[in-house]
Structures are given as structure tokens and as C-alpha cells.
Amino acid sequence: MTHPFLDLAPLTAARFASVEDRVARLLRTEQDVVIMQGEALLPLEGAIRATAGPGTTALNVITGPYGQTFGDWLRDCGATVIDLAVPFHTAVTADQIREAFTGHPEIDFVSLVHAEAATGNTNPVAEIGEVVRERGALFYLDAVASVGAEPVLPDAWGVDLCVIGAQKAMGGPAGVSAVSVSERAWARMAANPRAPRRSYLSLLDWKERWLDGGRTALPHAPAQLEMLALEACVERIEADGLDAVMARHRRAASATRAGARAVGGGLEPYVYEDREAAPVATTLRAPSGVVASELVARALESDPGAPLAAGGGALAKEMIRVNHYGVDATRGAVRASLSALGAALAAKGLRVDVEGALRVAEEAWR
């Protein structure tokens, strides 16, 4: 008995390298791209531990839960950490970054999340990158949620470490991820005695055993199924066109926000300003007196396929997430989400206009 998922010829080094090259083209980068064999937390943590240490002064921008995690990793590395936290319903500005540098000119590392799918905001990386370049700091960016939903341009923005994952807007697997690494970042790692070596977290192992050898021999057996899924995912994006994929996400976000405002019942966007809202997913604020997680559960009873979830942790009480990313960046997913939420609000005795909301969403999609 054979099985199409199991009885496969081994993934060759050449094919692995070709997938890396396609990811690099997706990012329009000339930097080295390493595909790491795990979910995006692997390169996110590995990149910090490789480049930060007791001599590092890091500006850690917090616009959601991942920024908080990065600060914990940086402190664990021995870095001096200056947290710049803004309310989760908004975005950080380049002026705030500039002010942080003015107050702490010793900053030599900046960590930032591009789009926070957990909170629904997105940060102006191009403008922030200009400030970081002016000050000569190393720039670390989590673009896991943003890639495929909005432009991610490490070279143009001066990003030294840009981590992506395929499981959201790209519509691909969660089991592999990638990081682009600048020459400055490699040099910082080489000079860091605490950078992981002979470790699953080690980027330097990949450089020395894979990149420096011309990518002819893989350092260990790859996650074959996940690599093939990533290859298929990138092929689909190439076939559709990256601009078209991003446009679908923008339309989905615009339609969801417009429909949420129109449905009534006290539902409203969690991120106030449209320009600060991430295209990858839309977060909504539950009406006063309504628990978001309970509302989502009721909505999913009427339509289990709607891409809805409550916010994580403490946000479960107030935040609803419409995860219109990947294959759910469609009119149908937006309509299903608004209809299910409208029905759940009506069941709570709140006045809603679902048909009106759907009309508004359809107009916004165009």
C-alpha cells in the first residue's frame, strides 16, 4: 500500500534552495533567506537570541501580544530593553520611534511587529525604517501576519531580520517559516558569543552548514510535507499575482469594517482608524455588556464555517476577530461573518440591520 503523503522521493537540496529563492522573490530581497523547519516562533526567537546580548540596548515596540513576548526574550538574553507600548487599538508612529531614540541614543536594536493579527493593527514600517536607518540600529521585523496581505519589503525598508510565516495571508502551512538576514545581521551574530550554536534555534548553523557551502547539502532532514506545501503556496501566489492577493485582503478588510459599522447593535471596529487597520484580519469591539467570546460562540452555532474567533486572553471579553485571510479573503467569508454576527446580536435582543450591512460591505468591496 502506498500513500501520496508518505511515499515520496526525498526532498533534494536543490529543490529546498529553489523554494528559498521563490520566497526571496516574494519579498523582493537580495538578502539571504533561510527557511527554518518550524512555526514562525522558531526564527522569531532564534533571530533575537542570535543578535542580542548584554551589550544590546533594544527599543521594543509593543502594539500587541507578540511585542510583549519579544521584550521577554530580549531581557532573557541580557539586553537592556526600552519598551514603547501603544494602545492595542492603534499603531505606533515614526515620530514616537524618533522620540525614543532622542531619549536613548544608545539604542542599537529595534524590534517591531508589522501587522498584529491578534489585535488588528498594522504599523508604518517604511516610515519607521527611515528613522532606524538614520540611527544605525539593527531592525528586526515580525511580518508573519502581514506577508501576502500588504507589502513586505525588507531591502527597501532597511530591515535586517524579517521573519515571515505562510499560515495566514499566504494561505500556506504553519510548520515551516522563513527569515531574511542582512549582512549586518550576520556580522552581529558572528560577534555575539551568546548566539545559539549546534541548536535548533541557531541561524549561524544554517549559515555555516547550508549557505556558506553553496546550499548543496542540507544540514538535516527537512520537513518534507511542509516544504512541499510552502512550494505550492508560493506557486499559487505567483499564479494569482501578489498584487491581486494583497488587493483581496484589502477589500476584505474594508468590507468587514464598513459592514460592522452598518450592522448596528453596538458592534464597531476595534482599531479606530482605517489607515491603522491590518488587511490580514479585522478586529471588532463587542457591544457594551456583551462578552465577545459568548457572541462568537453563538455566531458559530448559526454558521460554523464563518472565520470568526474571540480575542486571546483578556481580550476574549471585548474583541472579536474576523480572520479573512488566505482562502478566506473572499466576499463570501465577509458576508458569512457579518450575517452570523448579526444573528448573534439579534439573539441578544439588540437591533441590527444585517441586509443593510451586507449591502454596505458589497459596496466597500468594490
Side-chain angles (χ1 to χ4, degrees), residues 347-359:
K348 292 278 188 183
L350 298 169
R351 173 176 276 180
V352 297
D353 180 6
V354 175
E355 291 304 316
L358 294 178
R359 287 195 299 273

Side-chain angles (χ1 to χ4, degrees), residues 53-182:
T56 303
T57 300
L59 174 63
N60 180 53
V61 182
I62 302 175
T63 57
Y66 282 100
Q68 294 171 327
T69 297
F70 300 160
D72 292 340
W73 288 339
L74 287 160
R75 290 182 178 90
D76 191 53
C77 290
T80 299
V81 181
I82 298 152
D83 286 325
L84 172 55
V86 302
F88 287 0
H89 63 260
T90 187
V92 73
T93 68
D95 285 342
Q96 287 173 304
I97 301 294
R98 187 174 286 107
E99 289 171 10
F101 272 108
T102 299
H104 302 274
E106 70 275 18
I107 291 169
D108 62 357
F109 184 101
V110 175
S111 52
L112 175 72
V113 179
H114 186 184
E116 288 266 13
T119 51
N121 54 30
T122 191
N123 292 302
V125 182
E127 298 170 20
I128 291 168
E130 290 183 11
V131 178
V132 177
R133 277 198 304 273
E134 289 171 6
R135 301 304 182 113
L138 204 74
F139 194 8
Y140 163 102
L141 184 70
D142 171 356
V144 173
S146 54
V147 65
E150 55 187 306
V152 176
L153 303 168
D155 294 10
W157 297 342
V159 178
D160 296 288
L161 294 156
C162 182
V163 177
I164 67 166
Q167 68 266 35
K168 288 189 168 63
M170 289 177 65
V176 288
S177 48
V179 55
S180 65
V181 187
S182 72

Side-chain angles (χ1 to χ4, degrees), residues 149-224:
E150 55 187 306
V152 176
L153 303 168
D155 294 10
W157 297 342
V159 178
D160 296 288
L161 294 156
C162 182
V163 177
I164 67 166
Q167 68 266 35
K168 288 189 168 63
M170 289 177 65
V176 288
S177 48
V179 55
S180 65
V181 187
S182 72
E183 288 300 322
R184 288 200 324 148
W186 285 129
R188 179 80 71 97
M189 293 180 209
N192 181 9
R194 294 194 176 193
R197 299 279 192 147
R198 294 171 296 282
S199 164
Y200 197 57
L201 287 171
S202 178
L203 280 166
L204 284 174
D205 286 357
W206 278 95
K207 182 180 190 306
E208 294 168 359
R209 298 177 61 193
W210 172 242
L211 297 176
D212 291 351
R215 300 191 299 177
T216 58
L218 286 161
H220 53 71
Q224 175 148 312

